């Protein structure tokens, strides 16, 4: 019979996943927990008997011959045997491969991402192997159980790598000089968790939600030399740490330091010895693994300081003695003594993996029931322990019999799956709520994308593996009701509810991923807007500094016009003017009216392009279209404003003519002769006053010319005019006089009075200040004129007040008379 190493080596030549696999890796422990369950024939079992006939729960350590005999011996009347292995090691794998014909690939698939033999990142799943499409007698399934990750080691990936590495295998912490602790794994299989917390600032020593990976693998075959069906189920152990409290005891040496070669060699030999605690033997550590840990412990903890083999002969004896005593104290090796060993689980299960038949009302009334309910809700057990609890439940065995021998495992996986989906729903609710906060979104975006991406990859694979796993045994075991069992598995309501929950979760993951993508785009746009605003602020500063730079450059030019330096005020005025002009341009560019002009121009260009049958494509406007539209707009604007200007000038002239004619038509009898007199006299008078003649002669001639011409012109106009024209001016003067006399509202006479009064006072003042007179005389005359003016204004004010009072009394009397008349008529 070939050995396990020979079988693996022969297969590894053809398949890379077995050649580079974990089967030949060194391990930490040579022990595992094995449960053997035998099922009797139905005709040999009564209705009240248990489902199984025989059950053996044992722990194999090393090459256990007793365990080997239990596995190979088969009692009578047994038709099926179920072997459950919680943690595997080389001996149990070699036994099953060589004696029972189990494929090595069965163990290799189960050990994917298990930490068996060390940490391996990015391991490929079984569907990527060369043998993925071949017919196999085994299958494996991966799922996640909802748990709390307790604040215990390993806290980092390096700590996990040290714990999983068989050559290291432990983490050591010192507490002072005499105490310490050593942390080791309590099993060969230790899988990692799926981190389900969204806050990246969560401390590593806090209790956190996670999904802990678990895997179950099933192999189906026959017992050697028997028709009995053999089913081997591999389960993962509970992730537990083995924490040992260590005391360091310093043992003094009796021998003094020697400087010979033999003494150095003996001291080195004594330092290399490291006693192995008895607890290591109890835990199942092999000699190889103990020796590896011992060597590693020596490398990490021993601080050797080699003594020199020769000393100078000139060193005094008293100094040599002090050095020898100091060397004795430095070379004392502490002895490690393990005082206490504790097993601490790394995870705490969320919820219960067992169905509870206790209500909260009943538990509150009974303390024992309340304690039982607490244990069910908060107990963290391994999958094998929970499998045993389900197995002892006879009602469950009858209810889920269509899942064959692994029906308890289905209950466990179904509850874990529903709890894990609930955990993911809560996580997605938190993401949807925190997505509205931009600060949290920036901090946690990477974590969210990691969780969503992994969930979208893991859930479909988990659904596929569940369906294939629970259909494997009903299809593999030949029985009369095989078709009935397969249909029962497919129609199981709890399985369908679990698969539907996975489908709904996949749909929600897609919705949340789409929402996250849109929010990421919105966040990027907001960030771009914020950056644009910050750049705009810098641009506003440029409106200040660029004009200052231009002014400074202008005055710093080496040209003749700026040869002499200018005052500082000139530079300041120019800088302020340029800065104000540039900032005004900036305000004009960003003003609403300019934006409206741009918008209307774009619409006009589009309409013009459509009218010319040259529509704009993709928002691009050609230069030709723009110039044609611009020239057309300018031509229409010029025509419009020119016509409006001509119309305005005509309207203004007509209005002015009518207004002047309205006011001057009554004075036509005077204005017409005056205009003719001016036209006739202007030429001779201009000649007269441009000649060098006596001033008095010029005045006399001027008066004579104007008087003679005026008499002739007025006589002619008076004789040629009609009665209406002759009487126009007198009638106007009479009407204005009557109006002024009765109502005091004559505009013409008011203007004449004001103009006459002004002339009465302004003419004397002008004559007075134009003549050379004494200042006292000027002051006295000015005082008299001012007093006369004040008396006139005061008198005019009193008269207006008297008229106002008399007018009010007359109005009151008229009102009273009208009231009396109205009352008499009413009577």
């Amino acid at each position: 019979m070939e050995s396990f190493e020979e079988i693996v080596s022969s297969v590894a030549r053809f398949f890379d996943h077995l050649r580079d696999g974990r089967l030949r890796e060194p391990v930490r422990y040579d022990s595992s927990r094995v449960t053997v369950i035998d099922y009797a024939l139905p005709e040999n079992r009564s209705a009240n008997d248990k489902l199984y006939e025989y059950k053996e729960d044992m722990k194999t350590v090393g090459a256990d011959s007793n365990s080997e005999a239990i596995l190979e011996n088969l009692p009578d009347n047994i038709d099926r045997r179920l072997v459950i292995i919680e943690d595997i090691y080389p001996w149990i794998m070699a036994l099953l491969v060589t004696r029972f014909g189990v494929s090595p690939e069965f163990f290799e698939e189960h050990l994917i991402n298990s930490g068996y033999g060390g940490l391996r990142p990015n391991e490929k799943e079984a569907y990527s192997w060369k043998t993925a499409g071949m017919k196999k007698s085994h299958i494996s399934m991966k799922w996640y159980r909802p748990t709390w990750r307790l604040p215990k080691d390993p806290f980092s990936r390096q700590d996990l790598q040290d714990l999983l590495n068989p050559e290291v295998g432990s983490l050591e912490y010192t507490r002072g000089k005499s105490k310490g602790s050593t942390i080791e794994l309590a099993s060969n299989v230790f899988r990692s968790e799926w981190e389900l917390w969204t806050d990246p600032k969560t401390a590593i020593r806090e209790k956190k939600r996670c999904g802990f990976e678990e895997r179950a693998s099933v192999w189906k075959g026959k017992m050697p030399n028997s028709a009995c069906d053999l089913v081997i189920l591999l389960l993962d152990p509970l992730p537990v740490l083995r924490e040992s409290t260590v005391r360091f005891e310093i043992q003094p040496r009796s021998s003094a330091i020697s400087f010979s070669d033999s003494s150095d060699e003996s001291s080195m030999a004594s330092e290399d010895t490291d006693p192995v605690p008895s607890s290591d033997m109890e835990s199942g550590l092999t000699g190889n693994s103990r020796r590896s840990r011992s060597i590693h412990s020596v490398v990490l903890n021993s601080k050797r300081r080699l003594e020199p083999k020769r000393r100078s002969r000139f060193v005094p004896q008293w100094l040599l003695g002090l050095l020898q005593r100091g060397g004795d104290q430095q070379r004392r090796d502490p002895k490690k003594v393990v005082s206490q060993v504790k097993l601490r689980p790394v995870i705490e299960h969320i919820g219960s993996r067992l169905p509870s038949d206790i209500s909260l009302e009943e538990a509150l009334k009974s303390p024992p029931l309340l304690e039982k309910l607490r244990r069910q809700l908060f107990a963290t057990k391994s999958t094998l322990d929970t499998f045993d609890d389900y197995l002892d439940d006879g009602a469950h065995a009858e209810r889920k019999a269509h899942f064959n021998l692994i029906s308890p495992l289905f209950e466990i996986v179904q509850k874990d799956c529903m709890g894990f989906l609930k955990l993911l729903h809560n996580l997605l609710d938190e993401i949807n709520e925190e997505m509205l906060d931009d600060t949290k979104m920036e901090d946690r975006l990477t974590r969210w994308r990691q969780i969503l991406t992994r969930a979208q990859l893991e859930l479909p694979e988990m659904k596929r593996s569940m369906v294939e796993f629970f259909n494997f045994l009903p299809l593999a075991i030949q029985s009369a009701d095989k078709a009935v069992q397969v249909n029962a598995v497919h129609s199981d309501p709890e399985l369908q509810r679990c698969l539907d929950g996975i489908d709904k979760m996949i749909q929600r993951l897609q919705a949340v991923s789409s929402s996250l993508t849109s929010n990421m785009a919105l966040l990027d746009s907001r960030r771009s807007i914020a950056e644009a605003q910050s750049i705009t602020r810098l641009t506003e500063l440029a409106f200040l500094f660029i004009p200052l730079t231009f002014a400074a450059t202008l005055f710093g030019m080496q040209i003749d016009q700026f040869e002499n330096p200018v005052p500082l005020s000139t530079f300041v005025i120019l800088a302020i003017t340029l800065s104000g002009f540039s900032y005004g341009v900036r305000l004009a560019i960003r003003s609403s009216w300019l934006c409206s002009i741009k918008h209307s121009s774009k619409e006009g260009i589009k309409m013009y392009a459509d009218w010319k049958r040259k529509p704009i494509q993709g928002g691009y406007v050609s230069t030709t279209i723009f110039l044609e539209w611009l020239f057309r707009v300018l031509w229409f604007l010029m025509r419009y404003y020119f016509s409006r200007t001509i119309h305005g000038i005509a309207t203004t002239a007509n209005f002015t003519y009518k207004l002047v004619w309205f006011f001057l038509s009554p004075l036509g009898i005077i204005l017409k002769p005056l205009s003719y007199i001016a036209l006739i006299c202007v030429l001779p008078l201009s000649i007269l006053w441009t000649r060098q003649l006596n001033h008095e002669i010029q005045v006399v001639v001027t008066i004579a010319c104007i008087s003679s011409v005026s008499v002739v012109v007025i006589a002619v106009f008076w004789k040629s005019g009609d009665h209406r024209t002759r009487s126009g001016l007198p009638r106007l003067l009479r009407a204005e006089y009557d109006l002024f006399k009765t109502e005091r509202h004559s505009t013409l006479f008011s203007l004449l009075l004001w103009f006459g009064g002004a002339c009465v006072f302004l003419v004397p003042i002008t004559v007075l200040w134009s003549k050379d007179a004494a200042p006292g005389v000027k002051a006295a005359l000015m005082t008299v004129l001012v007093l006369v003016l004040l008396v006139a204004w005061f008198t005019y004010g009193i008269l207006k007040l008297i008229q106002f009072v008399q007018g009010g009394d007359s109005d009151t009397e008229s009102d009273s008379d009208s009231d009396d008349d109205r009352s008499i008529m009413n009577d």
Side-chain angles (χ1 to χ4, degrees), residues 668 670-682 709-710 713-714 717:
I670 298 175
L671 296 177
K672 289 181 180 180
L674 290 178
S675 60
Y676 279 102
I677 291 169
L679 290 175
I680 294 171
C681 295
V682 64
V709 173
S710 299
V713 170
I714 290 173
F717 269 91

Side-chain angles (χ1 to χ4, degrees), residues 316-331:
Q317 292 296 327
W318 62 271
L319 185 56
L320 287 175
L322 291 176
L323 292 175
Q324 289 175 359
R325 287 194 295 272
D328 286 338
Q329 294 177 1
Q330 292 178 0
R331 289 170 52 181

